[in-house]
Amino acid sequence: VQLVESGGGLVQAGGSLRLSCAASGFTFDDYAIGWFRQAPGQEREGVSCISSSDGSTYYADSVKGRFTISSDNAKNTVALQMNSLKPEDTAVYYCTASSLEDGLCGDDYWGQGTQVTVSS
């Protein structure tokens, strides 16, 4: 299983970034793909997750209305569009994959992470 994130970077508050996760090594349609984040000194937080099977989604309250998760099953990729970014969104963002049997926001597999920094 391989999950490769891209798209992180530095952006000013109010700006946008688009993260992408390229997945391989498993049957994409049988898995849920999620985005978690962890800031220094803080606990890991589930940000958003999507079922590759039926497209159902989850968003943390802190990102609802600002972030949008989408899945391209033909390309085995999941994107996280992040708008109206805030300094508190600064964290390392990780792509995760889990069998749908384990629920929508499991974390059986992890990518290497991509840094998102939002300046005030």
Side-chain angles (χ1 to χ4, degrees), residues 31-36 44-51 56-60 69 96-110:
Y31 276 70
I33 306 297
W35 288 96
F36 285 68
R44 188 176 64 203
E45 175 187 20
V47 175
S48 183
C49 307
I50 186 167
S51 165
S56 54
T57 58
Y58 161 84
Y59 293 95
I69 192 169
T96 65
S98 62
S99 171
L100 287 169
E101 295 179 350
D102 296 331
L104 190 58
C105 283
D107 57 358
D108 296 342
Y109 304 103
W110 288 75

Side-chain angles (χ1 to χ4, degrees), residues 23-45:
S24 61
F26 59 93
T27 304
F28 192 77
D29 292 357
D30 292 341
Y31 276 70
I33 306 297
W35 288 96
F36 285 68
R37 67 186 180 186
Q38 188 163 25
Q42 297 187 20
E43 292 191 359
R44 188 176 64 203
E45 175 187 20

